[in-house]
Amino acid sequence: VRAESRLVPGLVRERSLRTTQEGRLLREATRIEVTAAFLLLLALGAWRLAGGPGGRARRPPATAVLLAALLPSLLLAGCAPEGAPEPTVAELRVLELLALRESGDVAVAADLFHPLAVWEDHPGQRQLQGLPEIAAFLEEFHGWASGIFLDVLRVHPAGDRAVAEWVLEGVQSAPYPGVADSATFRRFLLEGVTVVEVERGLIVRVAEYADMLPLLLDLGGSATLPNGDVISAPEPPAP
């Protein structure tokens, strides 16, 4: 329980809860809790609204019973905080993975990945097997890029899977193996999608897709179309 507040002292309380497993965040939720005494007060109030204890009938009319049954649900629906539904484990894992992507802190990779996890790097057309290869791949990116900012646009959870759409920006501040032999200090933009699959709270598979052409153009590259036209990005302004 992370926090607790009394909406109606002794009757209704709001609790913020967090579930973890071996230090990993699994889910967060906010819950409204009521006591039996509160429900009894609602039932009595509904009975009074329906005509009270007066009259020849000794039991509350059907209207009172219906109100007593519906009022708790209606009240709790009105008290429940607005916001997104409780995130799934896969949703949390993909967000943590992208935070690692941005920071380059591979020390936390062991808390996210299964030791035999697989990373499918579709832009690079390669597959990484196991935690050491995945950690080396993440470090490789931070070896030539700095000033990295990653913005998660949307996350689409689906059971034990989650898909995240993101935009990444940075500066090529060191040689980029196979692309640039020296630092260009140009800013680049990369858009992509990351898919994760989770088992028992750990990532077992990642499939990542990205549009590499804007990045290559940002770094000063060009592309020749079949008709001979050349696509290139404008030169950045002088500092």
Side-chain angles (χ1 to χ4, degrees), residues 8 15 18 41-43 51 108 110 115 128 134 169 214-215:
V8 181
R15 308 180 81 190
R18 174 176 292 179
L41 287 175
L42 285 177
V108 302
L128 309 162
I134 292 173
E169 296 182 64
L215 180 147

Side-chain angles (χ1 to χ4, degrees), residues 115-185:
L116 302 179
V118 174
W119 186 303
E120 298 173 8
D121 174 29
H122 289 279
Q125 298 183 344
R126 56 180 170 170
Q127 187 176 87
L128 309 162
Q129 300 274 355
L131 188 56
E133 289 189 13
I134 292 173
F137 167 70
L138 295 170
E139 285 184 321
E140 174 187 307
F141 173 69
H142 282 264
W144 60 265
S146 61
I148 297 168
F149 173 76
L150 191 151
D151 185 19
V152 180
L153 304 178
R154 297 177 188 83
V155 178
H156 310 278
D160 59 356
R161 295 174 176 82
V163 179
E165 305 172 47
W166 47 264
V167 174
L168 184 149
E169 296 182 64
V171 176
Q172 191 247 321
S173 55
Y176 181 179
V179 176
D181 295 332
S182 60
T184 64
F185 297 102

Side-chain angles (χ1 to χ4, degrees), residues 179-230:
V179 176
D181 295 332
S182 60
T184 64
F185 297 102
R186 289 171 175 254
R187 291 203 63 83
F188 63 84
L189 179 74
L190 184 65
E191 296 178 295
V193 171
T194 299
V195 183
V196 300
E197 296 181 16
V198 173
E199 290 182 7
R200 298 181 181 179
L202 293 175
I203 298 173
V204 295
R205 176 177 174 265
V206 176
E208 194 162 76
Y209 306 83
D211 183 4
M212 298 296 291
L213 181 58
L215 180 147
L216 297 177
L217 297 180
D218 287 342
L219 298 185
S222 61
T224 303
L225 301 180
N227 63 4
D229 290 343
V230 178

Side-chain angles (χ1 to χ4, degrees), residues 5-184:
S5 61
R6 305 281 176 172
L7 300 180
V8 181
L11 298 177
V12 185
R13 66 181 178 184
E14 179 184 10
R15 308 180 81 190
S16 298
L17 306 111
R18 174 176 292 179
T19 305
T20 61
Q21 177 183 359
E22 298 178 357
R24 295 188 302 275
L25 177 63
L26 296 183
R27 63 183 63 88
E28 289 183 304
T30 300
R31 191 166 65 195
I32 305 293
E33 298 180 349
V34 299
T35 64
F38 182 69
L39 295 178
L40 179 59
L41 287 175
L42 285 177
L44 291 175
W47 187 8
R48 295 285 296 181
L49 288 173
R56 292 176 293 178
R58 292 190 176 182
R59 60 182 180 180
T63 305
V65 176
L66 180 61
L67 286 173
L70 291 179
L71 272 176
S73 299
L74 294 174
L75 179 65
L76 294 183
C79 292
E82 297 181 359
E86 181 179 339
T88 66
V89 175
E91 187 176 359
L92 293 172
R93 291 292 88 80
V94 74
L95 291 173
E96 290 169 329
L97 171 59
L98 294 176
L100 186 159
R101 238 342 191 155
E102 182 179 38
S103 69
D105 182 11
V106 297
V108 302
D111 297 328
L112 300 180
F113 290 93
H114 187 279
L116 302 179
V118 174
W119 186 303
E120 298 173 8
D121 174 29
H122 289 279
Q125 298 183 344
R126 56 180 170 170
Q127 187 176 87
L128 309 162
Q129 300 274 355
L131 188 56
E133 289 189 13
I134 292 173
F137 167 70
L138 295 170
E139 285 184 321
E140 174 187 307
F141 173 69
H142 282 264
W144 60 265
S146 61
I148 297 168
F149 173 76
L150 191 151
D151 185 19
V152 180
L153 304 178
R154 297 177 188 83
V155 178
H156 310 278
D160 59 356
R161 295 174 176 82
V163 179
E165 305 172 47
W166 47 264
V167 174
L168 184 149
E169 296 182 64
V171 176
Q172 191 247 321
S173 55
Y176 181 179
V179 176
D181 295 332
S182 60
T184 64

